[in-house]
Amino acid sequence: MLKKWKKWPNNKVANFLNKHSNPGNPGVFYYPWYGYFKETEKESMIRKLLPLLIILGAGCASKKEMTLSRDGEWTYFMRRNGCYGTCPIYEVEIDSDGSMRYVGERFVDPLGNATGSVSEADMDSLVMTLNALNYQALEDEYTCSASDLPTTEFVLVKNGEKKKVIYRCEGPEELPQLARLTDRITRRNMD
């Protein structure tokens, strides 16, 4: 950390040193609320290397973004699991070409298998929502100790990469919004 070097008593000295500190006094910084500080050699090295380390670290990030487009090939899957009551249990799979497969198990209409074709507007809405969510950066599981809450599973597959997110509670508010959007898309586009 920066070590307190000397606090200057008046503004004339501070103004003079601010104008002339770099050539004559490298490593001296003025913080108006603390005064003047002189950094150590180690701190100076860290300050000089920090931008390089940030750039290298950003290039070596382990998680890639899964940006979707209408042109690429990807598959989105959502499954709503039950609770102790009458929570709907169904799953829906939507491909990038707009084809949709649905399986209704309990407390939904229709029950059984169904197919559909998702409209252009709904596909655009789904793609925009998934991209805004930064899906790849989400944690794998958002759960809590309550056992009677329904669980929603989201899976996105693109270029052989699969990302599964399980949501029960205490996650980002965008996940329940994505589930409701998927519900609307499913109801509107079943044959």
Side-chain angles (χ1 to χ4, degrees), residues 67-84:
T67 306
L68 302 180
S69 70
R70 292 289 311 279
D71 303 332
E73 287 190 25
W74 50 268
T75 301
Y76 166 70
F77 173 86
M78 184 184 86
R79 176 174 174 80
R80 285 199 179 268
N81 293 314
C83 60
Y84 293 138

Side-chain angles (χ1 to χ4, degrees), residues 14-170:
N15 289 337
F16 174 80
L17 284 176
N18 274 339
K19 290 178 187 175
H20 300 90
S21 64
N22 283 344
N25 296 316
V28 176
F29 298 97
Y30 177 69
Y31 297 98
W33 52 92
Y34 290 119
Y36 281 89
F37 291 86
K38 180 169 179 64
E39 68 183 359
T40 64
E41 286 182 41
K42 182 179 177 183
E43 292 164 343
S44 176
M45 181 66 72
I46 291 171
R47 182 177 50 83
K48 291 174 186 172
L49 290 176
L50 189 59
L52 178 64
L53 294 174
I54 290 172
I55 291 170
L56 289 175
C60 297
S62 62
K63 291 189 176 181
K64 299 177 191 171
E65 256 186 63
M66 287 179 109
T67 306
L68 302 180
S69 70
R70 292 289 311 279
D71 303 332
E73 287 190 25
W74 50 268
T75 301
Y76 166 70
F77 173 86
M78 184 184 86
R79 176 174 174 80
R80 285 199 179 268
N81 293 314
C83 60
Y84 293 138
T86 58
C87 299
I89 303 173
Y90 76 93
E91 60 188 52
V92 63
E93 185 176 310
I94 300 173
D95 290 327
S96 57
D97 63 1
S99 61
M100 181 178 74
R101 287 164 300 288
Y102 167 89
V103 179
E105 295 179 23
R106 291 180 66 193
F107 308 115
V108 291
D109 185 33
L111 290 172
N113 297 335
T115 59
S117 184
V118 180
S119 69
E120 296 281 326
D122 284 339
M123 283 299 287
D124 290 339
S125 180
L126 180 62
V127 167
M128 186 174 68
T129 303
L130 286 168
N131 284 335
L133 186 58
N134 193 8
Y135 190 83
Q136 189 66 17
L138 293 173
E139 293 180 26
D140 294 336
E141 199 167 340
Y142 296 96
T143 60
C144 58
S145 60
S147 61
D148 188 31
L149 295 175
T151 302
T152 307
E153 297 174 28
F154 303 93
V155 179
L156 185 60
V157 180
K158 181 184 178 194
N159 298 332
E161 287 186 53
K162 180 179 178 180
K163 171 72 174 179
K164 181 176 182 179
V165 176
I166 298 173
Y167 176 80
R168 180 177 288 165
C169 58
E170 298 180 4

